[in-house]
Amino acid sequence: MTTEKYISKRVAGVPPSGIRKFFDIASEMKDAISLGVGEPDFVTPWNIRESAIFSMERGHTHYTSNHGQLSLRKLISLYLETRFSTGYNPESEVLVTVGASEALDLAFRAIMEPGDEVLVPAPSYVSYMPGVTFAGGTPVAIETKEEDDFTITVAAIEAAVTPKTKAIVIPYPNNPTGAIMTAEQLSGIADVIVKHDLLVISDEIYAELTYGGLKHVSIASFEKIYPRCIVINGFSKAFAMTGFRLGYAAGPKPLIAAMVKIHQYSMLCASVMSQYAGEEAIKHEMETGFAQVEKMRRSYDQRRRFMLKALADIGLTAFEPRGAFYIFPNITGTGLTSEEFCFRLIDDKKVACVPGTAFGEAGEGFMRCSYASSMDNLKEAVKRIGAFLKAL
Ligand code: PLP
């Protein structure tokens, strides 16, 4: 008996993530170096782990409010206000979720009618397009280009908007390009967003990780965007808490209420131990002037600068990433496609990177290297990539 026939066409039509494929190959190979997966190489700071342990010791093992614990929501609201000048009511405008991933999924599901279109800048994080599709909508890629520093332009939005366009994803700091958008650039696209009456879903999970003296600007901090914006964020990247699966959404009350409705019937609440850990993460960082986050950020920055120079030295030019922990070198000079390059690189030199096309067709000609890996690994990886390029 075949069970394929039971699978929804919508699900069957979406390919599996192109990131995992290379990571899985690398994990089975001896002496392979993976620059493939996007997560901090730091273990979660001890005070945060300890608070999760304490919560269990004290018997905090029950469901919480569907919205998440109010004490955590208050801290999230305060954190967002302090860092990014937004002001959300913790009672009704903040929802704690199972990672930013769930927050994204809820946002798409809460707004989508069949046929609705969502503008998704590309290349960008692998989940947006499938997320829109699973929710019954139609993702429409808007290409961001290296010559525009991988930012979204007014022209790109204007060219893609149709009467069916309902929302736009704003994915900065960007995975995989490392691009950010300045206040001026965001202000430029804010007008066209309002003109076309679009909802904004702003994924700001890398907000704490920016470099070169540039600070993240939340598009929600623009008065004209605030009432039409859902901010997505989480603890995975800034606090090295990927395994805790803790994230959140902040936005206008009716939209958060709609998202809570789906969340309460599907997830109920995020893990209570993770919620206690999240409280400690924000409280401690706010009390210490973000000392631990800053230490990790500096370490990424050191590795970012190393990669930029080391790749240039072996003849691979890359856009200077200003956020997140990825570098996105241009490999068009090799004459290989992104997939060919990455498959041959892992086969010949046992270095796993992700083809740019895993992040949309617009990623053709690039590959993503995560520099959230030890300096020794990075040095060895670049050496091997250099030898690979020479042999081509
Ligand atoms: N958004 C972006 C841009 C990401 O890169 C990731 C993870 O890599 C996520 C969201 C998902 O984060 P979380 O671990 O909070 O689900």
Side-chain angles (χ1 to χ4, degrees):
M1 173 185 162
T2 170
T3 47
E4 266 90 359
K5 65 180 181 192
Y6 297 110
I7 298 168
S8 130
K9 283 198 185 65
R10 189 190 286 167
V11 175
V14 172
S17 163
I19 298 183
R20 266 345 275 193
K21 191 161 59 182
F22 285 82
F23 177 73
D24 291 345
I25 298 173
S27 63
E28 310 237 307
M29 242 180 207
K30 206 169 165 278
D31 300 326
I33 300 176
S34 177
L35 307 185
V37 168
E39 71 171 326
D41 61 334
F42 296 102
V43 175
T44 312
W46 172 243
N47 62 305
I48 300 175
R49 284 185 274 155
E50 197 174 41
S51 65
I53 295 167
F54 284 164
S55 81
M56 276 188 272
E57 266 182 6
R58 289 174 189 146
H60 296 310
T61 55
H62 301 95
Y63 294 133
T64 69
S65 146
N66 291 139
H67 287 80
Q69 303 205 98
L70 185 57
S71 45
L72 174 57
R73 283 182 277 140
K74 281 184 176 163
L75 281 164
I76 290 169
S77 172
L78 180 66
Y79 162 79
L80 291 176
E81 190 175 340
T82 313
R83 299 298 267 184
F84 312 115
S85 313
T86 50
Y88 293 104
N89 180 347
E91 303 269 356
S92 56
E93 295 180 331
V94 177
L95 165 63
V96 177
T97 56
V98 181
S101 303
E102 194 215 351
L104 280 167
D105 181 47
L106 294 176
F108 293 138
R109 285 206 275 162
I111 64 166
M112 219 64 76
E113 300 288 353
D116 281 348
E117 293 175 359
V118 176
L119 303 183
V120 180
S124 65
Y125 181 49
V126 292
S127 291
Y128 305 137
M129 296 243 188
V132 172
T133 305
F134 293 149
T138 306
V140 175
I142 49 173
E143 189 177 349
T144 64
K145 301 200 174 105
E146 198 176 20
E147 61 260 33
D148 299 324
D149 291 349
F150 291 111
T151 57
I152 307 167
T153 61
V154 170
I157 298 176
E158 288 285 12
V161 161
T162 73
K164 292 185 189 155
T165 313
K166 191 172 224 175
I168 179 168
V169 175
I170 305 289
Y172 295 95
N174 185 266
N175 170 10
T177 62
I180 63 168
M181 281 186 72
T182 61
E184 206 184 345
Q185 288 163 335
L186 288 172
S187 161
I189 62 164
D191 290 334
V192 74
I193 287 169
V194 174
K195 177 179 152 195
H196 293 290
D197 194 20
L198 304 181
L199 179 77
V200 173
I201 297 171
S202 182
D203 182 352
E204 307 186 13
I205 193 154
Y206 294 100
E208 288 292 341
L209 303 178
T210 57
Y211 312 105
L214 296 164
K215 290 264 170 266
H216 172 68
V217 179
S218 174
I219 193 164
S221 65
F222 290 80
E223 234 169 83
K224 64 177 94 157
I225 296 293
Y226 186 75
R228 57 172 70 242
C229 183
I230 302 173
V231 170
I232 308 288
N233 206 328
F235 293 77
S236 287
K237 315 291 173 169
F239 302 103
M241 291 174 64
T242 47
F244 284 80
R245 309 307 305 124
L246 192 65
Y248 52 90
K253 186 175 168 181
L255 291 169
I256 293 295
M259 290 167 68
V260 171
K261 218 190 268 181
I262 306 171
H263 172 80
Q264 73 186 175
Y265 287 123
S266 54
M267 216 55 79
L268 280 126
C269 65
S271 144
V272 62
M273 299 90 181
S274 296
Q275 293 194 46
Y276 277 105
E279 281 191 33
E280 168 64 18
I282 295 184
K283 218 185 298 171
H284 183 83
E285 289 307 300
M286 301 229 354
E287 279 164 11
T288 58
F290 284 76
Q292 290 187 134
V293 171
E294 178 59 10
K295 206 167 140 202
M296 292 191 268
R297 192 196 66 81
R298 279 190 190 192
S299 167
Y300 294 131
D301 189 22
Q302 189 194 7
R303 290 177 268 173
R304 175 187 75 103
R305 282 179 283 131
F306 165 77
M307 284 300 274
L308 196 59
K309 175 158 187 326
L311 289 172
D313 287 347
I314 58 165
L316 272 191
T317 58
F319 161 76
E320 181 179 344
R322 289 157 182 129
F325 36 59
Y326 310 102
I327 189 161
F328 203 55
N330 187 323
I331 51 114
T332 45
T334 64
L336 300 177
T337 66
S338 301
E339 281 247 340
E340 283 165 353
F341 188 98
C342 291
F343 271 119
R344 284 180 58 177
L345 181 62
I346 197 162
D347 269 353
D348 294 1
K349 299 291 174 196
K350 299 186 177 178
V351 176
C353 297
V354 184
T357 43
F359 307 94
E361 279 166 32
E364 184 53 87
F366 298 88
M367 68 169 173
R368 187 191 80 173
C369 310
S370 163
Y371 53 81
S373 188
S374 74
M375 205 54 150
D376 284 348
N377 269 351
L378 295 178
K379 282 182 183 160
E380 178 59 24
V382 173
K383 203 165 104 192
R384 292 188 197 181
I385 299 170
F388 174 71
L389 289 172
K390 259 202 189 121
L392 274 180

